[in-house]
Amino acid sequence: MINIIAAVAQNNAIGYQNKLLYWLPNDLKRFKQLTTGHTIIMGRKTFDSLPKGALPNRRNVVISRTVQSLPGCDVYPSLDEALSHCEADEDIYIIGGASIYEQALPIAQRLCLTEIADTPAQADVFFPNYSSWHEVWREDHSIDEKHPQRYSFVDYEK
């Protein structure tokens, strides 16, 4: 199954200067819980933004037309090529960036989003429109000492 996972602001913003817009510990926990033991596919800039390189306990796949090898990763020149090297029953999570999300949206079966009740002052990367998807599950969260914005975990299917 092809899943897309992202944290999305109200205006669909997802990043600024190759960094996440929000630091939400529960979002990071959910990301780890959902992706551990599975395949994650990302663009090279997303890989470059990871503080320690390849994420542990996951098959890391990077899409790059210029880089042929990265430590702890399988590297392919296109999303189609990467997917051709995945098993039919494999759980795959597309983790960014914007162009990879755009390419994956028509073929994904599920979106696992953290929708943040905020619009950032600055953003230069945006998640594609997903208004045609149908919400199948939602868990709302209030502001607390570790989470300065309201947010919801929301799963969508086509």
Side-chain angles (χ1 to χ4, degrees):
M1 174 183 282
I2 298 174
N3 306 278
I4 293 176
I5 190 166
V8 181
Q10 287 175 320
N11 63 346
N12 281 21
I14 57 173
Y16 182 64
Q17 297 183 340
N18 210 31
K19 292 183 174 47
L20 294 175
L21 295 171
Y22 301 96
W23 184 261
L24 301 170
N26 286 345
D27 173 55
L28 300 174
K29 285 180 194 168
R30 181 175 193 238
F31 178 89
K32 184 177 180 180
Q33 175 194 15
L34 289 173
T35 63
T36 295
H38 302 296
T39 297
I40 55 174
I41 297 178
M42 69 197 96
R44 187 197 45 79
K45 287 181 185 175
T46 298
F47 176 80
D48 290 344
S49 76
L50 299 175
K52 297 178 183 173
L55 296 176
N57 305 312
R58 285 154 263 218
R59 178 182 174 210
N60 287 250
V61 176
V62 177
I63 309 302
S64 175
R65 288 187 283 279
T66 57
V67 176
Q68 267 105 52
S69 141
L70 292 166
C73 300
D74 298 332
V75 180
Y76 298 102
S78 70
L79 179 59
D80 288 340
E81 180 75 15
L83 291 172
S84 75
H85 288 87
C86 295
E87 300 296 323
D89 62 348
E90 201 169 339
D91 267 340
I92 298 163
Y93 286 85
I94 308 294
I95 69 166
S99 67
I100 305 296
Y101 286 143
E102 189 78 46
Q103 293 171 54
L105 202 61
I107 58 173
Q109 287 90 29
R110 185 171 65 147
L111 305 179
C112 304
L113 301 182
T114 300
E115 294 180 339
I116 301 154
D118 187 62
T119 300
Q122 294 181 303
D124 57 9
V125 182
F126 295 85
F127 195 80
N129 184 304
Y130 58 98
S131 60
S132 64
W133 290 67
H134 305 286
E135 182 178 317
V136 295
W137 178 82
R138 171 181 290 269
E139 183 180 288
D140 296 322
H141 295 268
S142 300
I143 293 171
D144 63 29
E145 65 280 350
K146 292 183 179 178
H147 301 85
Q149 293 86 17
R150 288 183 300 109
Y151 62 97
S152 301
F153 297 141
V154 189
D155 290 351
Y156 292 88
E157 293 177 357
K158 285 188 179 171

